[in-house]
Amino acid sequence: EVRLVESGGGLVKPGGSLRLSCAASGFIFNYYSMNWVRQAPGKGLEWVASVSSSGESIYYADSVKGRFTISRDNAKNSLFLQMNSLGDEDTGIYYCVKWTGAVTGTGRLDDWGQGTQVSVSS
Amino acid sequence: DIKMTQAPSSLSASVGDRVTITCRASRNIDIFLNWYQQKPGEAPKLLIHAASRLHTGVPSRFSGSGSGTDFTLTISSLQPEDFATYSCQQSHSTPYTFGQGTKLEI
């Protein structure tokens, strides 16, 4: 059974930083691209970032480019999101999500963690 | 970026009804369209990928169709557990983008 467990969320002041982690189990982690997807309170889903299975290819949403860094440690079956210069607009639940298939094409977000809450407020 | 627009934003229906939700892409995305279901307080779940392929374990009352710019998600006979929010997402190109969601209510 695929299991994705996020941690590292919390309350942070505007301009602050947080590092999210995701512990993966139940599948061969280094075979799959991984993503972060977030959801602001009462809003829809927003894709944040993606990292390829090897870690060589990385993509970001424009809204986080230059502020967030996605990375992975295949030896530890872990995914990370370093978030800097946080603003109110970054508040929400952050999901760690496994991607199956090609980066573009018939790929999909097929396994989701339960999410970790990030709140940015003074 | 490809903009995804769903209609309606909310929908009231009854158990046993047939329901259709539409998703329109701002440009041609071939069949590269996925559907997700999300219940309150839970993470989203994949329902359909590549426009019409049912994800493992998803009941056959769910179906998807479309290609190019126009897509539909159909639930043939609503069950109590289907009341949730449904979102489409394009996988044609990064940045991956989602529709705003359709809330299906009793």
Side-chain angles (χ1 to χ4, degrees):
Chain A
E1 178 195 1
V2 172
R3 189 166 155 82
L4 299 165
V5 180
E6 303 93 338
S7 60
L11 176 63
V12 62
K13 288 182 167 52
S17 299
L18 275 178
R19 188 183 193 227
L20 305 184
S21 299
C22 172
S25 60
F27 65 104
I28 303 174
F29 185 70
N30 63 7
Y31 278 16
Y32 294 90
S33 293
M34 295 296 295
N35 293 255
W36 289 99
V37 175
R38 68 184 180 184
Q39 188 168 35
K43 302 295 185 183
L45 300 165
E46 180 188 15
W47 171 79
V48 172
S50 174
V51 59
S52 64
S53 57
S54 66
E56 288 185 358
S57 297
I58 286 176
Y59 308 91
Y60 295 102
D62 286 346
S63 58
V64 307
K65 202 173 292 183
R67 300 188 299 124
F68 290 11
T69 302
I70 189 172
S71 62
R72 63 190 296 161
D73 183 339
N74 284 345
K76 296 183 177 179
N77 289 354
S78 295
L79 177 71
F80 305 100
L81 185 68
Q82 177 66 43
M83 303 187 296
N84 298 331
S85 303
L86 285 162
D88 295 347
E89 69 277 10
D90 298 313
T91 292
I93 298 173
Y94 284 69
Y95 295 101
C96 167
V97 195
K98 172 175 156 281
W99 180 271
T100 290
V103 170
T104 57
T106 57
R108 60 273 190 191
L109 298 158
D110 62 348
D111 287 289
W112 298 63
Q114 282 306 298
T116 187
Q117 176 71 47
V118 171
S119 299
V120 184
S121 175
S122 54
Chain B
D1 299 359
I2 299 174
K3 182 174 172 61
M4 308 301 294
T5 304
Q6 289 181 232
S9 295
S10 63
L11 175 61
S12 294
S14 301
V15 173
D17 285 353
R18 179 183 180 90
V19 166
T20 297
I21 298 169
T22 66
C23 178
R24 175 164 289 175
S26 60
R27 60 182 176 92
N28 187 346
I29 58 169
D30 200 333
I31 61 164
F32 306 137
L33 189 283
N34 306 315
W35 289 98
Y36 302 88
Q37 177 195 64
Q38 187 178 24
K39 298 179 181 178
E42 297 184 7
K45 294 179 181 177
L46 176 65
L47 290 178
I48 288 171
H49 63 98
S52 63
R53 299 179 188 175
L54 221 56
H55 184 54
T56 306
V58 174
S60 58
R61 63 180 180 273
F62 291 90
S63 63
S65 65
S67 67
T69 60
D70 294 314
F71 301 84
T72 60
L73 172 69
T74 299
I75 310 172
S76 60
S77 178
L78 274 173
Q79 299 302 300
E81 61 268 28
D82 300 336
F83 292 94
T85 297
Y86 294 86
S87 300
C88 61
Q89 174 246 332
Q90 62 83 16
S91 54
H92 176 275
S93 55
T94 59
Y96 306 131
T97 43
F98 289 86
Q100 80 276 21
T102 295
K103 187 174 184 179
L104 180 52
E105 300 174 299
I106 300 174

